[in-house]
Amino acid sequence: MENKQTPLGHIGFSIFAWIVGLLIFFPIFWMVLTSFKTELEAVSMPPSFISFDWTLENYAEVQARSDYFRFAMNSVILSVGSTLVGLLFAVPCAWAMAFNPTKRTKDALLWMLSTKMMPPVGVLVPIYLVFRDWGLLDTRFGLIMVLFLMNLPIMVWMLYTYFKEIPSDILEAARMDGATLPKEIIFVLLPMAVPGIASTMLLNIILAWNEAFWTLNLTTADAAPLTAFIASYSSPEGLFWSKLSAASTLAVAPILIIGWFSQKQLVRGLTFGAVK
């Protein structure tokens, strides 16, 4: 017997969803609002929502003090670069696990996922020493390798879930027609998995863009992304809330725009395979 939701229950669920959504969005709204205030108005009590002197001087000072576009370019290179490198490894790995599984496949998947449970600080010292000895500190190449390895388990899991939904008969038909393994993956599998690959790319670009721990510990200036750009506005003299809010708004704006226009793909990527 099907459980039908009553109109009252539907309204109650909608109100609850709106409340949760507003609570999640409020810190972002307050950050943007504070970025248009002076430092005095940013810490005034009670806080003002609309009735204050709006100013753009924080954005001008942030750009004058720090080259925003250099940090933004580093973030683009690191996030996109690590995602593309990750796909080169994740696609064949997920293909092997989805279409040629062994009795150890599930164990391997769980082991890969378990690596995400390890606190990054536990391996900071050895990775830092390796980077120091190999001359990878404050380099884009070094950070791309770290971000790619950090997000590889998620990429493999997502692609594995998508590939499992593709009928193996199609790949077998391609083999019977004489397709080699590379052609099978490139010309048969990948075109059918474009939505899954796009969702995987979007999610991992966002994860790499927001990564702060490794970018703050392995960079200083040359390869520093927007996370380091934000952290530079925390000083021993104290926090300058208006300038910090302006810097944070500039840092999160690109990824918020991408997330807004690709939310359907992101939701599908996160929930694909969860409901049959």
Side-chain angles (χ1 to χ4, degrees):
M1 186 175 180
E2 295 184 0
N3 292 325
K4 294 184 178 180
Q5 193 176 34
T6 63
L8 185 60
H10 179 74
I11 294 174
F13 181 80
S14 299
I15 293 174
F16 175 76
W18 271 101
I19 293 174
V20 172
L22 290 174
L23 288 175
I24 294 174
F25 178 74
F26 181 77
I28 300 175
F29 165 75
W30 191 251
M31 174 188 69
V32 175
L33 199 65
T34 304
S35 68
F36 293 101
K37 297 180 179 180
T38 63
E39 292 294 343
L40 183 61
E41 290 171 331
V43 296
S44 64
M45 293 299 292
S48 54
F49 285 84
I50 301 296
S51 58
F52 60 88
D53 295 328
W54 294 68
T55 179
L56 293 174
E57 65 178 16
N58 295 314
Y59 291 94
E61 188 167 343
V62 164
Q63 179 58 28
R65 172 181 164 180
S66 308
D67 188 357
Y68 166 78
F69 293 102
R70 179 175 64 85
F71 288 98
M73 181 56 64
N74 282 337
S75 285
V76 171
I77 293 173
L78 294 177
S79 57
V80 175
S82 63
T83 299
L84 293 178
V85 174
L87 283 176
L88 293 177
F89 289 85
V91 168
C93 182
W95 173 88
M97 291 182 170
F99 299 108
N100 293 285
T102 66
K103 62 179 182 180
R104 298 295 184 185
T105 295
K106 291 185 177 180
D107 294 335
L109 285 168
L110 290 174
W111 174 79
M112 293 182 68
L113 193 61
S114 69
T115 60
K116 295 294 294 179
M117 304 176 189
M118 181 178 63
V121 70
V123 292
L124 173 61
V125 173
I127 289 181
Y128 184 89
L129 294 177
V130 169
F131 269 53
R132 184 198 62 185
D133 295 340
W134 290 5
L136 294 175
L137 286 175
D138 201 21
T139 63
R140 292 171 176 171
F141 175 78
L143 273 179
I144 286 175
M145 291 299 102
V146 168
L147 295 175
F148 133 67
L149 291 171
M150 179 187 69
N151 292 327
L152 184 61
I154 296 177
M155 299 182 75
V156 172
W157 262 91
M158 291 184 66
L159 291 176
Y160 169 78
T161 304
Y162 277 104
F163 291 172
K164 287 289 288 184
E165 300 297 322
I166 297 176
S168 59
D169 295 342
I170 298 177
L171 300 183
E172 291 178 4
R175 294 190 202 107
M176 294 179 64
D177 289 340
T180 60
L181 180 58
K183 289 183 178 179
E184 176 187 327
I185 295 177
I186 296 173
F187 296 109
V188 181
L189 179 65
L190 294 186
M192 297 178 64
V194 166
I197 294 174
S199 299
T200 303
M201 288 184 64
L202 285 170
L203 179 62
N204 283 272
I205 286 174
I206 292 173
L207 291 175
W209 187 283
N210 293 332
E211 174 58 36
F213 180 82
W214 292 112
T215 55
L216 291 177
N217 284 287
L218 299 179
T219 64
T220 53
D222 293 340
L226 287 170
T227 48
F229 169 74
I230 297 174
S232 66
Y233 285 88
S234 175
S235 65
E237 291 80 12
L239 292 175
F240 299 93
W241 291 109
S242 294
K243 296 177 183 61
L244 181 61
S245 297
S248 300
T249 301
L250 289 172
V252 304
I255 210 67
L256 281 178
I257 294 172
I258 293 175
W260 176 264
F261 286 104
S262 60
Q263 54 185 310
K264 290 184 179 179
Q265 288 80 4
L266 289 173
V267 171
R268 185 171 185 266
L270 292 171
T271 59
F272 194 84
V275 179
K276 298 293 185 182

